[in-house]
Amino acid sequence: MSNPDWLEHAAQRGQSEPWTLAHTFARYRRLEERTEAELARELGCTREVLLWLSLCRRPEGPDFNAQLTAITQRHAVDPQALAHVIRHVEIVDALSQSSRGAGPLGRSIQIAARDRIRDEEKSS
């Protein structure tokens, strides 16, 4: 079975939608400086399967594991590898938001940094 003509275009358009795996894959590839072929190899799939995966909604929330299982079984990809990619992007995004002070973690990091600077000044 060949892929429809619209598949690649749809996967590219999905990169602008944060709820899609296309967005997550694009973000991961930028962060880790990976090519599309390297990401497909990491997930244990072909480029064509990667394009189909890109159209899926990114698993999230309390049903993360069930959603992940459904996607990985449907597309025959490594669930641990896909979970790693998703969680990696989530963690980096959360930390980048926090470092900008966008939440309680950001304030904690800033306070810890100030405390460390004060401690270093005292010991000098």
Side-chain angles (χ1 to χ4, degrees), residues 1-120:
M1 183 170 119
S2 65
N3 288 317
D5 295 336
W6 53 263
L7 179 59
E8 189 165 348
H9 179 69
Q12 287 177 339
R13 286 202 57 192
Q15 292 178 13
S16 64
E17 299 295 336
W19 54 268
T20 66
L21 281 177
H23 178 82
T24 301
F25 292 160
R27 182 89 173 104
Y28 182 78
R29 287 181 48 226
R30 278 191 303 274
L31 290 168
E32 295 302 309
E33 299 177 350
R34 299 259 203 289
T35 65
E36 201 172 65
E38 290 170 329
L39 176 57
R41 206 171 316 115
E42 190 172 330
L43 295 173
C45 67
T46 64
R47 179 179 182 274
E48 290 74 26
V49 170
L50 185 65
L51 292 174
W52 284 108
L53 277 169
S54 296
L55 302 182
C56 294
R57 178 174 286 279
R58 179 179 35 91
E60 62 184 358
D63 293 333
F64 179 89
N65 288 334
Q67 295 168 16
L68 181 77
T69 299
I71 292 168
T72 57
Q73 286 178 350
R74 168 71 173 91
H75 297 285
V77 297
D78 179 2
Q80 289 181 322
L82 181 57
H84 168 78
V85 168
I86 295 167
R87 295 302 194 202
H88 182 78
V89 170
E90 288 176 347
I91 290 167
V92 170
D93 287 349
L95 289 174
S96 75
Q97 286 178 352
S98 296
S99 68
R100 290 187 299 242
L105 181 58
R107 286 189 283 280
S108 300
I109 291 171
Q110 291 171 352
I111 291 169
R114 282 195 300 263
D115 290 346
R116 182 173 178 209
I117 291 169
R118 288 184 191 138
D119 291 344
E120 289 172 356

